[in-house]
Amino acid sequence: MDFNDTPEEAKFRAEARAFLAANAEPKGRARPVLRGGLDVEAVKRCKSWQAKKADAGFAGITWPKRFGGREASAIFHVIYLQEEDNYAVPRGLFEIGLGMCIPTMMAYADGEQLDRYVRPALRGEEVWCQLFSEPAGGSDLAALRTRAERDGDDWIINGQKIWTSGAHLSDFGIIVVRTDPNVPKHEGLTFFFLDMKSPGIEIRPIHQMSGASHFNEVFFTDVRVPDAQRLGAVGQGWKVSLTTLMNERLAVGEVHRPDVEDLVELARSLVVDGASAIRNAAVRERIAEWYARTQGLTFTRFRTMTALSRGQTPGPENSIHKLVNASKLQDIASYGLDLMGAAGLVMDDDLALYYAMFQQALLSSPSGRIAGGSDEILRNIIAERVLGLPADIRVDKNKPFNQVPTGPR
Amino acid sequence: MNFDFSDELKQLRDLARRFLAEHSSPSVVRSVLEGRDTYAADLWRAMAEMGWLGAAIPEQYGGAGLGYEGLCVLAEEIGRALAPVPFASSAYLASEAILLAGSETQKGRLLPMFADGSTIGCFALAEGSGNPHSGAVHARCVGGRLTGSKWPVTDGSIADLAVVVARDEAGEIALYVADLTASNVSRRSLSTVDPSRDHARIDFAGADVERLSGEAGWPMVLRLLERAAVLMAFEQVGGADASLEMARNYALERYAFGRPIGSFQAIKHKLADVYVATELARSNAFYGAWALSADAAELSLAAATARVSAIEAFHLASKENIQTHGGIGFTWDTDCHLYYRRSKQLALTLGSAPWWKDRLVQLLEMRNAG
C-alpha cells in the first residue's frame, strides 16, 4: 500500500505541474474564490485559459488523438485535475460541454459533424450547454413535456427547459424532447443538438435564493432544428440521455469552503464564555465528526484512483462524494454561524468574519443537495445499483405519456 | 496510486472469510453468548495453526511476519464473523505491548507463546468508569508486587497473562506482565452487554509481576491504544458490512404491502446511508493500515479518525439492521442483536467515541501548531 504514482503517472504529473507553474497563479487558502455568475471578462479569461490548456495537451486527456486528445486513461485526467486544483484557474464555462455534451456527440454524431464541432469545443472557442431539466421533469427527467414535431427535413420545437447552466453564454446545446406523447414516457423521446442562436429561443436568468444567477430558463417557440442534427433514432432519446448522464463527473476532491479547517480556525478565534470555542467539548465533537467524514471521502477517492490506475471503470459507488459533501457544507456553514451567535446574521464586508463565507455558504449550499442528482436520487442509485435493492415501483411506466396523471398545475 | 491491499492479502482475506463462515458461524458465536463456552477454543487453535495469531509478529519471535496489513485483513474478517475469540486482546494488545515495550529477552520468551496460541494475553487498563486517563491509573507495583483492581478487562477470565498498566515506586506509569493463574490474583467474570466476549474484574493483592523493561509512561499506553484502534476499526468495518448485508438480504426477501420492503425508499435510503458510513469508515481504516504498517508520523491522527468513523459506522449499521428486520429483529433467535452487542463492545473498549473525538481535535491542533 502506498500513495505513489507509477513512473508513467509521475512523469505526467511533473509535466502538468510544470505547465501550471508556468501559466497559472497558485491558489492561496486565505480568501476562497466564490463562484459568482460569469461576466464578459470572466468568459474571456475562461476561453483563453482553455485554449492554452488544449494547445498544451491538457484538455481532452482521455479523448481520441484525432480530436486533439491524448487517448490516455482516466487516471491521467484525475491527476491533471488534482494539480489544477492548486491553482486559481478560470473555471465554470466548459465543464458541461466537455464533460457531457461532446462525449454524447462522440457516441452519436457522424464523422463530418465531429470534425466540425469537437476541436472548437476543446479549445474553448465554442461553448455548449445541456437542455434536459424542465418544470415538469427534474428528478423524473423522462416526464419532460417540450415537444418536437416533424416538418419536412426539420423538427419544430416548442416548450420550456429550466436550470440550464450557461445557456446565455452557449453557442450550441444538446436537448432531449418529446416526439410522441402517445407511447409510454421513455419511448417517446428524441435527442438533438442545436444552435443556441436559432430564432425562437429566449433565455431568462433565474434569480436564486442566494441572490446570484447561475442558471437559466430557456423558452422554445417554433424553433427549427434540421433532422441531420438528431442524435440517435427517433424515439431513442432516453437511451442517448443515459449516455450523457453516464459521463458522471469523476470526484476530483474539489474543496468547498467553508471546510472543516475553516471551522477549526473559526472556533479557535471565537471566545465563548471567556474561553476559545475550540475548548468546548460539544464543538470538538462536531469538528471531529466532520473531519472524519472529510478524510473518509479523501481516502475513498484514493481508492477510486487506485482502481482507475489499474484500468478499472468507476461505478455508481461514486455517488457517495456529492451526497456527503453537499450536506456537510450546509451543516458546517450553519454550525459556524451558530458559534458566532447573533453576529452570524451580519454579512457586511467590514463586520462579517471570514468575508461572510459562512453566511454565503448557508444561502448557496441548498443547491448542492439538488443539482446534478438530488440527495434522494443519489440514495436511490446507491440502493439500487450498489446494494441491488429493487427499483421504485413506477405507476407511469407502461402508460401512454398523455394519460399519465399530473398535478393541478 | 496504490491504495489497496496486495493480491496476496486479498487471497488471504477470501480464505479467511470462507474459513470463518464455516468455523465462526452464528451457532459458534451463540455457544459463547449463551454461556456454553467461554470462548471458541477449537477456532482459536485453528487460527493459531494458520499463523493468524502471530500475523504481525516478526518471524524471529515465532510469528508469521505477514505485517500489519495482513493483520488488518484478518481483523476485518474476524469482525465480520463476530469470532468469539480473544484475538484483539492477545494479538493487538498483549503482543503489541511486548513488541513495543519489552526487552529483547522478554520478546524472545513471551511472543512465541502468543503466536502459537498456547498462551492467551489480555490488556488491563481500566479501573472502573471513565475513559483512558493517566490520572485514573491507581494500580501500583512496589518491589515487584502489584496491587489494584482492573475492570472491565476484555478476555480477563480466559487469559493466561495480562499486560497491566500500573504505577511504579516513583509513581510513573509502566507496563507489567502478570501471570493470572498465580497466587494473589483473583478474577471474576462479569456479565456485559456482549456476552459473546469474555470480560472480567481482576484484583491484584500483591501479585508477583514482571515489568516490561523498555519504554514506559502514558505516551506508550496511548501508542498501544492507537495501534489497536486501527486494527479494531477493521473489525468494526467487517461487522458493519455484515450487518448491512444481513439487512439488505432481509429487505429483498421480506414482503409487506405486496412488495419487497427493500423497494420502499424508507428502507432503501436508510441502507444507502449505512453503505456511505461503512465506506467512509473503510477508507479511513485503509489509511490507518497504511500509517500502521509504514509506522508513519500520521499514525496518531489516522488512528483517531479511523476509530471515530468505525464506531459510527458499526453502530449505525447494527441498529438499522434490527430496524429493517422489524419485530423479528428484536428476537433472541435472530442474529441482529449479535452485531448490535458487538458494535457496543468494540465501541467501549480502548476508549469510547467522545474520548477519541476529543483526542482527534487535540491532534489536529498540534498538527496546525507544528
Side-chain angles (χ1 to χ4, degrees):
Chain A
M1 212 181 249
D2 62 57
F3 299 98
N4 305 333
D5 289 329
T6 64
E8 204 191 346
E9 288 163 2
K11 184 168 163 280
F12 175 81
R13 191 184 293 278
E15 272 177 57
R17 276 186 187 163
F19 165 72
L20 287 160
N23 293 286
E25 287 297 312
K27 186 156 70 180
R29 239 198 100 76
R31 180 159 197 158
V33 187
L34 292 169
R35 280 275 176 81
L38 296 174
D39 58 20
V40 180
E41 282 307 308
V43 168
K44 267 192 203 155
R45 282 197 301 274
C46 284
K47 289 193 170 186
S48 96
W49 172 247
Q50 185 65 26
K52 201 178 267 184
K53 201 165 129 175
D55 293 344
F58 292 107
I61 288 165
T62 59
W63 291 9
K65 289 190 173 146
R66 176 185 158 207
F67 301 124
R70 274 190 194 241
E71 284 180 30
S73 82
I75 185 74
F76 294 94
H77 181 56
V78 173
I79 288 172
Y80 176 77
L81 291 174
Q82 274 188 331
E83 294 301 323
E84 197 193 65
D85 199 44
N86 298 321
Y87 288 85
V89 302
R91 280 183 152 175
L93 190 58
F94 301 108
E95 283 79 356
I96 289 172
L98 301 180
M100 302 176 103
C101 303
I102 300 296
T104 309
M105 290 287 282
M106 287 201 231
Y108 288 96
D110 64 33
E112 209 174 304
Q113 288 167 331
L114 293 177
D115 287 338
R116 159 65 188 84
Y117 293 105
V118 177
R119 273 181 187 268
L122 190 68
R123 293 200 77 249
E125 292 157 13
E126 291 172 348
V127 183
W128 286 68
C129 64
Q130 178 220 48
L131 300 144
F132 276 24
S133 295
E134 294 192 10
S139 291
D140 183 11
L141 175 61
L144 59 89
R145 313 180 82 82
T146 294
R147 291 289 313 272
E149 276 162 349
R150 188 80 194 236
D151 182 42
D153 285 341
D154 291 341
W155 293 80
I156 298 178
I157 299 180
N158 280 287
Q160 183 198 345
K161 294 287 175 177
I162 194 170
W163 305 118
T164 314
S165 306
H168 57 304
L169 304 171
S170 292
D171 302 288
F172 299 95
I174 53 173
I175 187 168
V176 58
V177 294
R178 187 162 306 282
T179 45
D180 186 355
N182 302 305
V183 294
K185 65 178 182 180
H186 293 99
E187 294 163 26
L189 304 176
T190 304
F191 204 106
F192 298 93
F193 71 91
L194 50 71
D195 186 339
M196 288 300 286
K197 307 288 185 293
S198 307
I201 295 183
E202 189 200 342
I203 298 165
R204 295 184 204 156
I206 296 173
H207 193 198
Q208 298 159 204
M209 64 166 276
S210 58
S213 295
H214 295 156
F215 308 99
N216 301 281
E217 292 180 288
V218 182
F219 295 87
F220 294 83
T221 310
D222 294 332
V223 176
R224 218 162 248 284
V225 179
D227 185 56
Q229 292 179 197
R230 176 164 44 77
L231 298 176
V234 175
Q236 292 291 305
W238 182 249
K239 193 178 150 213
V240 184
S241 305
L242 291 181
T243 313
T244 311
L245 298 172
M246 287 284 273
N247 285 290
E248 284 175 62
R249 283 164 51 194
L250 283 173
V252 293
E254 201 182 342
V255 175
H256 299 275
R257 306 281 298 274
D259 60 12
V260 67
E261 305 287 349
D262 291 314
L263 191 64
V264 170
E265 271 314 296
L266 178 72
R268 274 160 48 98
S269 67
L270 284 176
V271 173
V272 176
D273 295 335
S276 164
I278 202 161
R279 304 261 61 86
N280 181 295
V283 175
R284 295 172 81 81
E285 285 214 17
R286 301 298 293 272
I287 287 174
E289 287 160 14
W290 282 314
Y291 180 81
R293 234 162 274 174
T294 304
Q295 292 292 95
L297 283 183
T298 299
F299 299 121
T300 300
R301 199 169 62 245
F302 286 0
R303 286 168 58 206
T304 305
M305 283 186 67
T306 301
L308 280 175
S309 179
R310 294 175 182 177
Q312 294 155 14
T313 315
E317 67 277 5
N318 267 299
S319 303
I320 189 173
H321 293 275
K322 194 176 88 76
L323 182 59
V324 174
N325 264 328
S327 278
K328 180 157 63 74
L329 177 64
Q330 187 171 32
D331 294 345
I332 286 177
S334 175
Y335 194 68
L337 298 180
D338 289 347
L339 293 184
M340 297 177 201
L345 291 166
V346 178
M347 294 184 77
D348 293 78
D349 246 1
D350 58 330
L351 293 172
L353 291 172
Y354 298 98
Y355 335 102
M357 169 168 69
F358 286 85
Q359 287 86 347
Q360 293 187 11
L362 178 85
L363 298 176
S364 61
S365 58
S367 78
R369 298 184 48 208
I370 301 164
S374 66
D375 284 3
E376 291 74 16
I377 291 294
L378 296 178
R379 286 194 175 93
N380 272 358
I381 289 173
I382 290 172
E384 292 170 21
R385 292 168 57 197
V386 181
L387 300 178
L389 292 170
D392 278 12
I393 288 179
R394 292 163 197 243
V395 294
D396 57 354
K397 197 166 183 180
N398 299 313
K399 266 193 186 142
F401 182 71
N402 53 15
Q403 290 170 31
V404 171
T406 57
R409 285 201 295 166
Chain B
M1 184 70 60
N2 180 29
F3 189 51
D4 196 1
F5 292 110
S6 67
D7 288 342
E8 291 74 30
L9 289 181
K10 285 181 182 167
Q11 280 169 14
L12 174 67
R13 180 186 64 196
D14 295 346
L15 186 144
R17 190 174 300 184
R18 281 196 304 272
F19 177 81
L20 289 165
E22 190 182 341
H23 298 276
S24 181
S25 63
S27 70
V28 173
V29 180
R30 280 171 182 275
S31 72
V32 178
L33 177 82
E34 291 165 1
R36 291 186 293 283
D37 290 308
T38 50
Y39 71 105
D42 291 345
L43 175 59
W44 184 249
R45 275 189 294 277
M47 288 165 78
E49 277 163 25
M50 291 186 292
W52 294 7
L53 305 184
I57 294 176
E59 283 162 275
Q60 70 199 93
Y61 305 124
L66 282 171
Y68 288 100
E69 288 186 26
L71 193 54
C72 287
V73 160
L74 293 172
E76 181 175 345
E77 297 315 311
I78 282 162
R80 184 184 311 277
L82 302 169
V85 287
F87 192 74
S89 297
S90 211
Y92 317 160
L93 288 160
S95 300
E96 280 293 300
I98 287 152
L99 269 171
L100 287 181
S103 67
E104 205 48 44
T105 324
Q106 287 169 326
K107 289 182 202 175
R109 178 164 46 85
L110 295 166
L111 291 173
M113 294 157 46
F114 289 135
D116 71 13
S118 56
T119 297
I120 293 175
C122 68
F123 181 62
L125 169 60
E127 301 180 16
S129 301
N131 272 309
H133 188 263
S134 60
V137 177
H138 300 293
R140 192 169 186 117
C141 184
V142 178
R145 291 176 172 273
L146 178 69
T147 306
S149 292
K150 292 286 181 181
W151 69 274
V153 178
T154 306
D155 302 308
S157 29
I158 55 178
D160 307 292
L161 292 182
V163 173
V164 184
V165 181
R167 296 186 178 277
D168 62 15
E169 281 99 337
E172 301 298 326
I173 302 274
L175 299 178
Y176 298 88
V177 177
D179 178 353
L180 296 176
T181 59
S183 55
N184 299 329
V185 178
S186 58
R187 300 191 259 183
R188 109 170 140 90
S189 289
L190 303 175
S191 54
T192 69
V193 298
D194 183 14
S196 71
R197 294 298 313 280
D198 172 61
H199 290 83
R201 172 180 171 132
I202 309 179
D203 290 297
F204 299 95
D208 282 328
V209 292
E210 173 187 357
R211 179 175 174 140
L212 289 180
S213 50
E215 205 184 318
W218 186 247
M220 165 56 64
V221 175
L222 292 177
R223 266 185 80 194
L224 198 51
L225 291 176
E226 272 164 20
R227 299 168 78 82
V230 171
L231 295 158
M232 204 164 271
F234 276 92
E235 283 198 25
Q236 290 164 308
V237 166
D241 216 30
S243 306
L244 175 58
E245 190 183 345
M246 188 178 173
R248 175 249 186 212
N249 291 345
Y250 187 74
L252 284 172
E253 75 187 30
R254 169 74 175 177
Y255 275 63
F257 305 100
R259 46 198 270 213
I261 61 168
S263 67
F264 291 105
Q265 289 190 347
I267 299 291
K268 289 164 78 168
H269 290 189
K270 179 206 301 297
L271 297 186
D273 287 341
V274 172
Y275 170 81
V276 168
T278 305
E279 281 309 292
L280 295 181
R282 185 190 305 280
S283 296
N284 282 329
F286 268 46
Y287 185 56
W290 168 78
L292 182 59
S293 85
D295 205 12
E298 292 89 343
L299 176 60
S300 298
L301 191 50
T305 308
R307 178 134 177 97
V308 167
S309 283
I311 289 174
E312 183 187 330
F314 197 8
H315 175 64
L316 181 71
S318 65
K319 80 184 170 114
E320 297 308 339
N321 182 32
I322 298 176
Q323 187 67 18
T324 301
H325 278 72
I328 196 79
F330 187 62
T331 61
W332 185 265
D333 290 342
T334 304
D335 293 333
C336 298
H337 66 116
L338 307 186
Y339 297 99
Y340 186 67
R341 291 169 185 278
R342 184 63 61 83
S343 105
K344 209 60 193 170
Q345 191 267 330
L346 294 175
L348 296 182
T349 57
L350 305 183
S352 64
W355 186 82
W356 282 95
K357 287 175 185 174
D358 183 73
R359 180 163 168 74
L360 189 160
V361 178
Q362 266 177 45
L363 292 162
L364 269 184
E365 290 178 286
M366 279 161 57
R367 187 201 66 183
N368 290 354

